[in-house]
Amino acid sequence: MKTFLKILLLSAIAVSANAKEIKLLNVSYDPTRELYTEYNAAFAKYWKTKSGDDVVVSQSHGGSGKQAQAVIAGLDADVVTLALAYDIDAISAQAKLLPADWQQRLSSNSTPYTSTIVFLVRKGNPQGIKDWDDVVKTDVKVVVANPKTSGGARWAYLAAYAYGLEKNNHDDAAAKKFITQIYKNVKVLDSGARGSTVTFAKNGIGDVLLAWENEAHLVLKEFGTNDFEIVTPSLSILAEPPVAVVDKNAKRHHTTEVATQYVKYLYSDEGQEIVAKNFYRPRNEIIAKKYEGNFTQLKLVTLEAEFGSWTKAQKTHFADGGVFDQIYSPQ
């Protein structure tokens, strides 16, 4: 027995001696800090069991557009988990760090979870905000991030624009007038979604925050339900934040295998459970059903149906001289 235990101990020591430490950098957008703190620990445990190697994942967070430009400028991401496909497309097109068809490598167009835009209001909802029509009232102070730099802000803008289209029989001029009024009510444009949350929840500015759904729930979790409420509009947009391996960086770092498994594991049962617990909507229907109490049902329009594609939406609405520049004047 002693000899057997000695062999086991020596084998364990040998495995430990051969174990490598693998470092990954995940460049992400603002509101994913809590999600990836939990997910990174779970993935490291999974990979240790699978391979014996230790994975250490570092995170970088900021507005999705700014994060994409940082990667293009040289931020050495192995993986990007950004707010919208357009930002990863930009990394592909401008820096040639991954192929143009990157979305086809994982299911659901490389989007392992979805989200949407909701309203966060102060306790008692003193302005009586129930839907987008209430957000355009002249006495309502709106907080949202800058769609020039924040992916969540682009989703919020498009959700409001889609409501304006539906309300006005898809009259684009009327929708443009509607979105103009919303941004007349915007007093602060932070560069990222988390900054807007701080402005609203911690600094006490504004009557309503146009928020990622998960971010709104995080505020309730952190501050409690005595100060804030979530209001779900009748219509919002299906936000699809994608993930991708940054091929050339991962190849240079010799992390391609681990980086690939890192994004794939988001689709695993454990990954989807972590997604749902952090108030992102999981793709796995069984897990989504399990956590359906976390999510209010509402009409969700899609980017493709309302705006054609991210390339078209970006050019029309967010590029220099686009609709956003035409309708927004800094306060």
Side-chain angles (χ1 to χ4, degrees):
M1 177 63 74
K2 288 182 178 180
T3 301
F4 178 69
L5 291 174
K6 184 176 180 181
I7 291 171
L8 285 178
L9 178 61
L10 289 172
S11 297
I13 292 171
V15 169
S16 178
N18 291 327
K20 302 190 296 287
E21 182 180 85
I22 302 168
K23 295 182 179 180
L24 295 179
L25 174 60
N26 176 6
V27 173
S28 197
Y29 64 104
D30 262 332
T32 63
R33 289 171 173 84
E34 295 73 20
L35 167 64
Y36 282 107
T37 294
E38 185 174 352
Y39 176 75
N40 290 345
F43 178 77
K45 184 177 179 181
Y46 160 75
W47 194 253
K48 180 71 173 179
T49 301
K50 180 179 175 67
S51 69
D53 294 335
D54 297 308
V55 177
V56 178
V57 184
S58 298
Q59 289 292 139
S60 172
H61 296 278
S64 186
K66 287 184 69 175
Q67 291 292 80
Q69 289 304 313
V71 173
I72 290 166
L75 182 59
D76 229 6
D78 299 280
V79 169
V80 285
T81 56
L82 296 178
L84 43 91
Y86 181 84
D87 291 331
I88 303 180
D89 283 340
I91 296 170
S92 172
Q94 296 178 40
K96 311 297 183 186
L97 293 176
L98 70 166
D101 64 350
W102 61 270
Q103 273 194 286
Q104 306 311 311
R105 299 193 291 197
L106 294 170
S107 63
S108 302
N109 287 322
S110 292
T111 307
Y113 46 83
T114 67
S115 189
T116 192
I117 302 299
V118 299
F119 307 148
L120 187 69
V121 300
R122 304 195 185 280
K123 187 66 176 179
N125 194 5
Q127 293 284 9
I129 294 168
K130 298 178 181 178
D131 212 337
W132 292 101
D133 288 323
D134 301 309
V135 179
V136 302
K137 293 177 181 176
T138 55
D139 60 340
V140 172
K141 298 179 180 65
V142 179
V143 178
V144 68
N146 189 337
K148 292 282 194 173
T149 54
S150 166
R154 274 175 274 183
W155 286 117
Y157 170 103
L158 293 177
Y161 207 98
Y163 180 87
L165 287 170
E166 176 147 314
K167 175 183 171 66
N168 294 286
N169 296 314
H170 280 75
D171 181 332
D172 194 66
K176 187 174 179 179
K177 184 177 179 181
F178 184 81
I179 202 77
T180 300
Q181 185 56 55
I182 286 182
Y183 281 89
K184 278 186 179 179
N185 292 349
V186 174
K187 303 306 177 186
V188 180
L189 272 185
D190 290 286
S191 63
R194 181 56 56 88
S196 290
T197 301
V198 171
T199 294
F200 182 78
K202 288 190 175 181
N203 299 341
I205 295 173
D207 300 307
V208 57
L209 174 68
L210 307 186
W212 284 103
E213 183 175 47
N214 66 288
E215 190 82 343
H217 281 281
L218 185 67
V219 171
L220 296 191
K221 186 176 179 181
E222 182 173 343
F223 292 91
T225 57
N226 293 326
D227 295 317
F228 302 99
E229 299 176 14
I230 295 172
V231 175
T232 303
S234 62
L235 177 150
S236 194
I237 196 162
L238 179 68
E240 298 182 292
V243 303
V245 175
V246 185
D247 294 40
K248 288 190 177 179
N249 290 349
K251 183 177 181 180
R252 182 160 39 82
H253 301 156
H254 306 289
T255 58
T256 300
E257 180 187 8
V258 180
T260 300
Q261 293 305 313
Y262 178 84
V263 294
K264 283 186 174 181
Y265 198 65
L266 284 162
Y267 292 85
S268 70
D269 286 352
E270 183 178 28
Q272 292 284 286
E273 287 266 354
I274 292 169
V275 160
K277 285 189 289 183
N278 283 274
F279 295 96
Y280 291 86
R281 297 183 178 224
R283 291 290 194 182
N284 184 305
E285 292 183 2
I286 295 173
I287 293 173
K289 181 72 173 176
K290 178 179 176 182
Y291 287 89
E292 64 182 356
N294 284 4
F295 308 105
T296 301
Q297 297 303 307
L298 72 162
K299 181 176 181 178
L300 294 174
V301 301
T302 66
L303 174 81
E304 291 76 13
E306 295 296 330
F307 303 100
S309 68
W310 266 118
T311 299
K312 183 178 179 182
Q314 180 71 22
K315 182 178 180 180
T316 301
H317 294 277
F318 309 120
D320 290 346
V323 174
F324 178 74
D325 283 351
Q326 296 167 28
I327 62 99
Y328 179 72
S329 299
Q331 301 291 324

